[in-house]
Amino acid sequence: MLEFRDRELERIEAEAESPMKRFVERGAIALAIGEAMGFSEGQVQHRLSFADTVRDQSPTTWDAFGQGRVDLARVREIGHTISQLKRAESVHRLDTRVVEYAETHTVAELRAWLKRFVRRVEADLATERAEDERAKRHVSVQHGDDSMGYLNAYLASHELAAIADRLRKEARRPAAPGDERTVAQREADLVVAWLLGSDAAETVVDANIGVTIDADVLAGANPGFAESTDGTWGVPAAWIAAVIASGSTFWHRIVVDPVSDDVLAHEYVGRFAPDVLNIALRFLYGTCQGPGCMVPAERCDMDHREPWPEGPTTGDNLGPLCRRHHTYKGHGLLHWSTRPQPASPAA
């Protein structure tokens, strides 16, 4: 598509007789491509846009795409990330690293990796964008058909994570006898009850959410982000500091060795790990350790790599598996040959 477009642009420039004719014929290139390939003009323009970006600014990615080592979905994610980066050295840094990760991970894992990359290599600019977006926070109500409608909220990610965690926990408590509501219905009813049945409160977070913050960022020496344990979101560290300063929360602080990541050197007797070890493991791994699985660790079972009681209940023998992958492992369909490893830092 890019080669066809480039050839057409050259032809139009050489043959078109007037500026108006050149303008019209250039605009019709997307139409011609769409008719040949079954795409709308918008789809063609979108593909050409991110493909142009990757070809021109990330030659390593473009070569890997041409060789079939990464597919179009990954190229699209990389192109979107390049458009967010503002410094040439950041783009070059991405170009040297991203293909190795993209080749061996799913699109969802790559998307989370790219978000972390942007937050880390251009933390100051990413913080400015986050502050601008937070100023746009709002709630909207849209009434639909059949007496129903939508309540939408555009909020900071750490607040959304806290809301989601609280909803998930409350809605999954044992139901009263005769309560036949689904979990989704209970969550909807809880939102209504919380909004209509109590006074509004500021910075109240009744949930357990985990974030990681580099020591220099936490100390205020450098700009940076607090990142969720599963890597899917991050917020400026100052936003988390504001929640801490409110006095309305209780915090666990886990200090991780910057070289070995070893915070789990304790051994416990028994099959089930205590809460403190479970929390540490969820912070360490972030997501299910099944291949390519992105289920957050807090919604996973804590599984023994070497089955208990032969395998000890220690940090290096435990890791999170979602219920599906835990079941696969129990039936011999999933094997851990080595200790599961946390996701490598993006920068």
Side-chain angles (χ1 to χ4, degrees), residues 1-12 26 29-30 32-34 37 39 43-59 61-63 65-66 72 75-76 79:
M1 289 166 62
L2 283 174
E3 290 170 356
F4 174 81
R5 184 210 55 192
D6 292 345
R7 288 197 302 268
E8 281 295 285
L9 288 174
E10 291 178 3
R11 180 191 63 78
I12 293 167
R26 283 196 296 264
I29 294 175
I33 295 174
M37 303 189 67
F39 296 148
Q43 288 175 313
V44 171
Q45 291 165 348
H46 176 64
R47 291 192 180 205
L48 290 176
S49 175
F50 70 74
D52 254 335
T53 299
V54 173
R55 183 182 65 173
D56 295 345
Q57 300 188 55
S58 183
T61 301
W62 193 249
D63 288 344
F65 177 54
L72 184 68
V75 171
R76 180 174 59 246

Side-chain angles (χ1 to χ4, degrees), residues 305-346:
R305 179 177 63 83
E306 181 182 350
W308 186 85
E310 291 78 13
T313 302
T314 58
D316 58 3
N317 192 48
L318 290 169
L321 285 179
C322 68
R323 185 56 55 86
R324 180 166 62 91
H325 283 119
H326 198 173
T327 301
Y328 288 169
K329 180 175 179 291
H331 286 79
L333 301 175
L334 176 67
H335 303 278
W336 288 359
S337 57
T338 59
R339 173 184 175 178
Q341 294 298 315
S344 299

Side-chain angles (χ1 to χ4, degrees), residues 258-272:
V259 177
S260 67
D261 287 335
D262 187 11
V263 296
L264 312 171
H266 229 56
E267 181 170 345
Y268 298 88
V269 178
R271 178 179 180 182
F272 298 104

Side-chain angles (χ1 to χ4, degrees), residues 139-145 148-152:
V139 175
S140 63
V141 175
Q142 179 183 354
H143 295 284
D145 298 330
M148 298 293 288
Y150 293 94
L151 173 68
N152 302 300

Side-chain angles (χ1 to χ4, degrees), residues 57 85-93 122:
Q57 300 188 55
L85 296 170
K86 304 303 180 185
R87 298 178 178 130
E89 60 268 25
S90 302
V91 176
H92 174 72
R93 193 172 181 179
E122 294 187 353

Side-chain angles (χ1 to χ4, degrees), residues 122-289:
E122 294 187 353
D124 54 340
L125 299 179
T127 299
E128 290 178 7
R129 290 197 299 271
E131 292 290 355
D132 290 342
E133 285 301 308
R134 197 180 192 189
K136 302 175 186 176
R137 61 190 181 276
H138 65 275
V139 175
S140 63
V141 175
Q142 179 183 354
H143 295 284
D145 298 330
D146 300 318
S147 304
M148 298 293 288
Y150 293 94
L151 173 68
N152 302 300
Y154 189 57
L155 302 173
S157 289
H158 68 297
E159 294 169 340
L160 287 173
I163 292 168
D165 184 80
R166 185 181 180 190
L167 273 174
R168 189 178 301 113
K169 289 177 180 176
E170 292 293 331
R172 284 161 179 76
R173 293 182 184 276
D179 186 350
E180 298 181 355
R181 293 176 298 169
T182 65
V183 170
Q185 290 170 342
R186 291 178 190 173
E187 289 180 343
D189 293 345
L190 282 167
V191 169
V192 173
W194 291 342
L195 290 176
L196 298 181
S198 62
D199 295 333
E202 295 183 359
T203 64
V204 174
V205 177
D206 182 14
N208 187 3
I209 55 174
V211 293
T212 57
I213 308 175
D214 290 343
D216 58 339
V217 174
L218 187 61
N222 289 306
F225 280 70
E227 297 180 343
S228 67
T229 53
D230 63 2
T232 57
W233 58 267
V235 298
W239 295 6
I240 298 297
V243 177
I244 298 173
S246 71
S248 62
T249 56
F250 179 79
W251 291 86
H252 294 272
R253 184 177 69 173
I254 300 176
V255 179
V256 181
D257 186 280
V259 177
S260 67
D261 287 335
D262 187 11
V263 296
L264 312 171
H266 229 56
E267 181 170 345
Y268 298 88
V269 178
R271 178 179 180 182
F272 298 104
D275 288 345
V276 66
L277 180 56
N278 277 334
I279 292 171
L281 286 164
R282 291 187 173 105
F283 269 72
L284 180 63
Y285 293 111
T287 63
C288 168
Q289 293 302 289

